[in-house]
Amino acid sequence: MCGIVGFIGNEPVYEKIIKGLSRLEYRGYDSAGLAVIENNELLVRKCKGKVADLQNNVGSQVLGSTIGIGHTRWATHGVPNDVNAHPHFGENKNIALIHNGIIENYASLKEALIGRGHHFVSETDTEVLVHFIEDIRDSEQVSLFEAVRMALTEVVGAYAIVVLDQSNPDELIVAKKSSPLVIGIGSNDDYYIASDATPIIEYTKNVVYLNDEEVAKLNRREGLTIVNIQNQKQTPYIQELELKLEAIEKGGYDSFMLKEIHEQPRSIQDSFRGRLNLKQGVVKMSGIDDHEERWKNAGRIVVVACGTSWHAGLVAEYLFEDFARIPVEVEYASEFRYRNPVLFTDDIVIAISQSGETADTLAAIELAKEKGAFIFGVCNVVGSTISRATHSGAYTHAGPEIGVASTKAFTAQVTVLFQMALALAEKRGTLSSGRLSRLVAELNSLPIKITEVLKTNEQVEQIAQIYKNRSNALYLGRGYSFPVALEGALKLKEISYIHAEGYPAAEMKHGPIALIDENMPVIVIATEGASYEKVVSNIQEVKARKGQIIAIVTEGDKTVKAMADHVIEIPRTDDSLVPILSAVPLQLFSYHVAIMRGCNVDQPRNLAKSVTVE
Ligand code: M6R
């Protein structure tokens, strides 16, 4: 949801800004812009479209500036166009500001500023903020640093901002609240600012994650100064990044999505590395061990999440209830916030988020905290806002996921939730040691099985060729496979723009069956397990109405093969682990359909990777 970068140092920044914005483009790609101080003048270029359009817009101008800021936008206030693109300026056009977030009280601030003679050209909340800062600086005769701090005491909303002042080419001012911001500290008095570490990693590994309501000054002579919004000086906490450059590059694949799908044998392994004890047949998770009594005595688990992470939460519902016998409720974070949920003192809230920045999930966490709940985070991005806002947690360790459609993050989330369910089952004595050992061993074998599933790629591509021009698709699954049906449908709609619905297979006869005719592809997860026979009956019901069946089956299956139009075989595994294997061919199917339809799989229209607005 908007990516921001800033650089100040001894070298020209133009290439760094462009490269940094390209790395952050997954956060939004409605428009792009930059501002540098070139020959003592504020030079601003911005346009609707992607970073490549911005590059064309800058053309062959050689930019030698050693200070600059850049922005890639996911539109909130105002349509994506050149005027609404960031950076925005103050009245006198000498302060430029980039922003990720939403200023909720922008309308009242704007009205007051208009009364004080300010003029606005865009529809954005960001332009109001830069005018407000300028107004305070000029009327109170304070430094820009102080003006930013003072302005933010009156701002309601979320922000990560970088401010550049033409009259001070030696300084950038940054601040954040509820939107992420990282400062990289280079070896040569160079400073790097970005929404996440990916634009920084090739220059330095030393970073400071700014905390909420902190304002920082990066000055060529004075270095880094941080104050909180109450103007108390803060000591920067410098951390070393573990991220590797290769992890954020395409590595020979045509898209990040395809790379990330193929990374799953490794990402799943990484999400259980160091947690499985194969000899004893148990799972060790420090986030659970450290709060053992609380978990043992939990009366209920409430999962809050959005999108794909919510689907992982649904799988967790089956896992926790099945293995650990704890009742579970799975909530859309956005809905949880806007009712008056009942939370008990022995409830545990699990927040699941790949990015760790999703505003709805964060708001649900804050609400649950107010009600005194214990919050456990399952996040992928290390150091993210949600991972810091929770009381305890477990990282998924899937590595950076850059494709907007979540793939390896989903399977890693399910892997972590599976381990949590086993760890709890052991503590609560709800599974026999034999069953526990077998499940631990089965989890350990999954990376090899995923490698097998990936070999279906060409077959899936052929099936995609047949169905690529359909307008609708239905996904069916039962038990553990129901959330996978939802996830398969989400993948297809978000990257290929084909309307798709996921349903519990048995629910089909209560309505959706009316949609079935010879044009409706029905993708069914029909692996062996508790509900296999029932799903076979559902397939027959579809076939009786001339629907076309693409079935995900267990290897060697004959029954479904005899009735389906296409079958994709996956290795045999425990019912509870099928979601991790069966998600993969569905990811590949969506990928191929989208590519065949000419869609940009990494940056689907209207979407952004981290949704930092509510
Ligand atoms: O970063 P999060 O896991 O919190 O993101 C939640 C959703 O925004 C995300 O899963 C979204 O639905 C993806 N586009 C799914 O592919």
Side-chain angles (χ1 to χ4, degrees), residues 8-224:
I8 174 168
N10 298 299
E11 291 171 11
V13 293
Y14 173 66
E15 293 296 339
K16 289 186 167 82
I17 291 175
I18 293 297
K19 209 187 230 184
L21 289 182
S22 306
R23 294 235 160 97
L24 291 182
E25 209 165 20
Y26 73 90
R27 301 179 67 88
Y29 30 84
D30 289 335
S31 64
L34 59 82
V36 294
I37 299 179
E38 190 82 1
N39 302 324
N40 299 322
E41 298 261 314
L42 193 61
L43 184 105
V44 177
R45 292 285 179 273
K46 54 184 192 169
C47 60
K48 178 174 185 249
K50 301 201 172 194
V51 178
D53 300 303
L54 175 66
Q55 265 181 299
N56 293 337
N57 190 291
V58 175
S60 58
Q61 282 173 305
V62 180
L63 300 174
S65 174
T66 56
I67 183 168
I69 59 179
H71 188 269
T72 175
R73 177 171 187 244
W74 186 85
T76 56
H77 294 62
V79 294
N81 62 21
D82 295 358
V83 175
N84 289 332
H86 297 215
H88 288 281
F89 321 99
E91 189 69 21
N92 297 320
K93 306 264 179 295
N94 53 17
I95 301 179
L97 181 147
I98 49 173
H99 170 216
N100 169 27
I102 287 190
I103 308 300
E104 288 171 17
N105 58 337
Y106 84 104
S108 57
L109 291 173
K110 188 171 185 175
E111 205 182 303
L113 287 163
I114 289 171
R116 290 168 65 78
H118 286 256
H119 302 85
F120 294 91
V121 292
S122 78
E123 300 155 79
T124 66
D125 51 340
T126 305
E127 192 186 13
V128 176
L129 181 58
V130 63
H131 277 252
F132 188 42
I133 291 169
E134 178 190 43
D135 192 75
I136 292 178
R137 186 192 65 167
D138 296 347
S139 59
E140 302 289 327
Q141 295 286 299
V142 291
S143 66
L144 183 66
F145 186 35
E146 176 61 359
V148 170
R149 187 195 68 77
M150 287 170 72
L152 294 177
T153 59
E154 293 188 43
V155 157
V156 179
Y159 52 80
I161 56 169
V162 190
V163 195
L164 172 64
D165 180 359
Q166 178 182 279
S167 64
N168 192 352
D170 291 331
E171 188 169 287
L172 287 175
I173 310 294
V174 301
K176 87 148 229 137
K177 183 184 173 193
S178 303
S179 295
L181 197 130
V182 193
I183 300 172
I185 302 174
S187 51
N188 199 12
D189 294 331
D190 294 332
Y191 290 100
Y192 309 88
I193 301 154
S195 298
D196 69 33
T198 56
I200 295 178
I201 185 69
E202 70 181 280
Y203 310 113
T204 180
K205 280 190 172 292
N206 296 326
V207 297
V208 173
Y209 287 91
L210 214 59
N211 292 312
D212 275 353
E213 301 203 319
E214 284 184 345
V215 186
K217 176 169 72 171
L218 311 173
N219 183 290
R220 289 188 206 273
R221 289 177 306 278
E222 298 165 27
L224 172 65

Side-chain angles (χ1 to χ4, degrees), residues 305-310 352-358 361 386 404-407 413 487 490-491 494 607-611:
C306 303
T308 289
S309 297
W310 185 78
I352 308 173
S353 175
Q354 185 288 128
S355 62
E357 303 294 345
T358 301
T361 309
I386 291 177
V404 165
S406 203
T407 52
Q413 285 166 342
E487 175 57 11
L490 176 64
K491 283 297 83 90
E494 70 180 334
L607 289 175
K609 185 72 181 163
S610 12
V611 184

Side-chain angles (χ1 to χ4, degrees), residues 132-395:
F132 188 42
I133 291 169
E134 178 190 43
D135 192 75
I136 292 178
R137 186 192 65 167
D138 296 347
S139 59
E140 302 289 327
Q141 295 286 299
V142 291
S143 66
L144 183 66
F145 186 35
E146 176 61 359
V148 170
R149 187 195 68 77
M150 287 170 72
L152 294 177
T153 59
E154 293 188 43
V155 157
V156 179
Y159 52 80
I161 56 169
V162 190
V163 195
L164 172 64
D165 180 359
Q166 178 182 279
S167 64
N168 192 352
D170 291 331
E171 188 169 287
L172 287 175
I173 310 294
V174 301
K176 87 148 229 137
K177 183 184 173 193
S178 303
S179 295
L181 197 130
V182 193
I183 300 172
I185 302 174
S187 51
N188 199 12
D189 294 331
D190 294 332
Y191 290 100
Y192 309 88
I193 301 154
S195 298
D196 69 33
T198 56
I200 295 178
I201 185 69
E202 70 181 280
Y203 310 113
T204 180
K205 280 190 172 292
N206 296 326
V207 297
V208 173
Y209 287 91
L210 214 59
N211 292 312
D212 275 353
E213 301 203 319
E214 284 184 345
V215 186
K217 176 169 72 171
L218 311 173
N219 183 290
R220 289 188 206 273
R221 289 177 306 278
E222 298 165 27
L224 172 65
T225 311
I226 304 179
V227 296
N228 64 14
I229 207 113
Q230 290 82 28
N231 209 13
Q232 291 155 327
K233 202 160 179 200
Q234 307 292 302
T235 309
Y237 171 56
I238 301 175
Q239 301 184 40
E240 196 169 322
L241 286 174
E242 282 179 14
L243 187 67
K244 292 201 173 72
L245 192 57
E246 312 86 80
I248 55 169
E249 293 184 332
K250 283 189 194 155
Y253 286 93
D254 289 340
S255 65
F256 282 109
M257 183 180 179
L258 192 60
K259 176 185 175 226
E260 287 156 8
I261 291 174
H262 280 87
E263 277 174 349
Q264 288 176 106
R266 207 216 60 224
S267 56
I268 285 167
Q269 180 118 38
D270 286 347
S271 53
F272 64 65
R273 193 186 301 281
R275 288 172 172 155
L276 300 190
N277 184 332
L278 290 166
K279 252 196 192 147
Q280 290 175 13
V282 292
V283 174
K284 294 292 286 172
M285 299 192 83
S286 57
I288 290 184
D289 291 345
D290 294 349
H291 303 273
E292 182 159 351
E293 287 310 305
R294 198 181 271 278
W295 282 103
K296 259 186 174 165
N297 302 318
R300 188 176 65 146
I301 288 173
V302 179
V303 177
V304 292
C306 303
T308 289
S309 297
W310 185 78
H311 297 154
L314 284 183
V315 180
E317 180 176 25
Y318 288 82
L319 291 168
F320 285 120
E321 293 194 346
D322 196 359
F323 295 165
R325 308 303 299 143
I326 307 178
V328 180
E329 281 178 31
V330 188
E331 304 268 359
Y332 284 115
S334 51
E335 288 300 314
F336 183 76
R337 164 105 196 263
Y338 286 104
R339 48 193 184 76
N340 189 9
V342 178
L343 283 177
F344 302 104
T345 45
D346 60 349
D347 282 347
I348 291 183
V349 173
I350 300 180
I352 308 173
S353 175
Q354 185 288 128
S355 62
E357 303 294 345
T358 301
D360 287 323
T361 309
L362 201 51
I365 291 170
E366 296 307 336
L367 178 70
K369 264 189 182 170
E370 275 168 31
K371 289 180 178 280
F374 176 78
I375 326 278
F376 188 93
V378 175
C379 293
N380 190 37
V381 177
V382 177
S384 56
T385 309
I386 291 177
S387 69
R388 287 182 288 145
T390 44
H391 297 112
S392 177
Y395 282 118

